[in-house]
Amino acid sequence: MRIIGQHADLRAARRDWHEEGRSVGLVPTMGALHEGHLALVRRARAACGRVAVSLFVNPTQFGPNEDLARYPRSPEEDMRLLGAEGVDLLYMPADGDMYEKDASTTVHVGGITDHLCGPFRPGHFDGVATVVAKLLLRVMPDAACFGEKDWQQLQVIRRLARDLDIPARIIGVPVVREADGLALSSRNRYLPQEERAKAVLISQNLKHAAESIRAAPGNIGRVLAGGRENLEKAGFRVDYFECADAESCAPARDLARPARLFAAARLGSTRLIDNWPV
Ligand code: AMP
């Protein structure tokens, strides 16, 4: 596995692969890798001849009161895991390699970002969209893989690639879960044992609510209120427990179009998100 810190070298590697006629798959990550990330790597490997992974804890997608400083970092272990997966190239931008000091361009995807996490994390999706656009332009992959764990983010990225004519195929990869149903997340490492035991209530309530809505689609509002209340009673601070259009992420109160359930809730100082098909 080649490890690259400068984007000029990344471009050169990309050009060599292109000349060899290899297709390229990209997997953007913030590191602290787990089986969810590795599922993306395997999907990229299945779709493309060469796999590049980026590892960058992107400061612009964290708010001033968020967890940038304590975001988990385990680069040695990440390199070991990616090497074992047969990843061809790991791009870990050196200091200063990602953003120009006086960078003044931001990618804003409207509409989708008005909902769900958008209002709770001002600026977050602009940070994500800008860094992902830069990574897609630096690597020019044939395909790029993103997890359905961050469903709204996946819709934002599909939209930005479409609207900016970025010719990569955006592949969504199903959520990888622990045996009890908790969605794998780098942030799960923050959870003390007692909170880890409670965290499973998010996926359990989403699953239960999805079943209730399927059985009685006229009761969506009541089911959502029930899901929120269950989490609050267990000690979560709930940002949202919502049924939303699977593409626009706008609230949905019927099943006229494909919809999903989404939850974001805080346990102690950790914010967890998950989603479930209806
Ligand atoms: P992150 O490092 O948290 O920014 O995540 C990098 C990529 O991995 C994103 O596309 C995430 O959606 C994806 N991802 C994170 N956790 C999971 C999971 N449990 N299942 C599937 N994909 C995931």
Side-chain angles (χ1 to χ4, degrees):
M1 181 170 75
R2 277 186 71 188
I3 300 177
I4 281 180
Q6 302 291 335
H7 84 269
D9 298 331
L10 182 62
R11 244 184 234 294
R14 174 69 185 91
R15 194 188 50 231
D16 293 346
W17 289 342
H18 187 71
E19 282 169 6
E20 291 166 15
R22 307 285 185 180
S23 60
V24 178
L26 172 67
V27 178
T29 80
M30 298 206 301
L33 302 181
H34 51 64
E35 277 295 320
H37 298 107
L38 300 185
L40 270 55
V41 169
R42 290 170 199 145
R43 185 68 188 82
R45 168 63 69 211
C48 296
R50 291 286 179 263
V51 176
V53 173
S54 63
L55 194 173
F56 178 60
V57 182
N58 175 34
T60 68
Q61 69 189 70
F62 289 80
N65 300 316
E66 294 185 354
D67 56 349
L68 173 61
R70 65 165 197 141
Y71 194 81
R73 287 168 171 85
S74 51
E76 302 296 328
E77 174 68 358
D78 293 348
M79 285 185 232
R80 194 187 64 72
L81 289 169
L82 296 174
E85 289 296 325
V87 164
D88 298 284
L89 187 157
L90 171 61
Y91 173 48
M92 297 172 73
D95 273 357
D97 190 60
M98 184 56 79
Y99 296 110
E100 297 292 339
K101 280 204 185 65
D102 60 348
S104 52
T105 305
T106 299
V107 179
H108 174 73
V109 176
I112 297 170
T113 60
D114 293 341
H115 309 294
L116 302 176
C117 284
F120 292 95
R121 302 190 69 187
H124 167 68
F125 285 117
D126 288 359
V128 169
T130 305
V131 79
V132 170
K134 286 165 71 70
L135 288 167
L136 291 172
L137 292 168
R138 285 178 181 195
V139 179
M140 282 290 187
D142 297 276
C145 297
F146 298 88
E148 291 183 353
K149 155 83 178 7
D150 301 282
W151 184 275
Q152 185 178 18
Q153 169 177 283
L154 172 62
Q155 304 317 309
V156 166
I157 291 162
R158 284 193 194 290
R159 184 63 63 91
L160 94 83
R162 188 200 73 178
D163 289 353
L164 298 181
D165 307 319
I166 295 174
R169 187 173 143 219
I170 306 299
I171 300 177
V173 178
V175 186
V176 178
R177 297 178 180 280
E178 301 280 7
D180 66 358
L182 175 66
L184 264 55
S185 163
S186 304
R187 290 187 168 97
N188 292 351
R189 298 185 191 190
Y190 296 149
L191 296 170
Q193 209 176 353
E194 192 192 332
E195 291 177 3
R196 166 62 188 87
K198 272 188 194 171
V200 67
L201 288 172
I202 298 184
S203 61
Q204 279 177 359
N205 275 281
L206 286 169
K207 178 167 183 266
H208 178 74
E211 284 161 1
S212 306
I213 289 173
R214 262 181 243 127
N219 283 341
I220 293 182
R222 219 167 57 212
V223 171
L224 295 176
R228 169 184 277 271
E229 200 183 312
N230 290 343
L231 292 178
E232 284 173 349
K233 274 192 191 143
F236 288 84
R237 279 167 300 134
V238 179
D239 281 355
Y240 56 79
F241 193 95
E242 185 58 283
C243 180
D245 186 280
E247 194 179 326
S248 72
C249 296
R253 289 296 174 269
D254 61 49
L255 301 182
R257 285 178 38 81
R260 284 182 91 82
L261 291 178
F262 297 85
R266 291 162 206 270
L267 252 188
S269 55
T270 308
R271 184 175 187 272
L272 299 170
I273 62 170
D274 200 355
N275 66 93
W276 206 271
V278 177

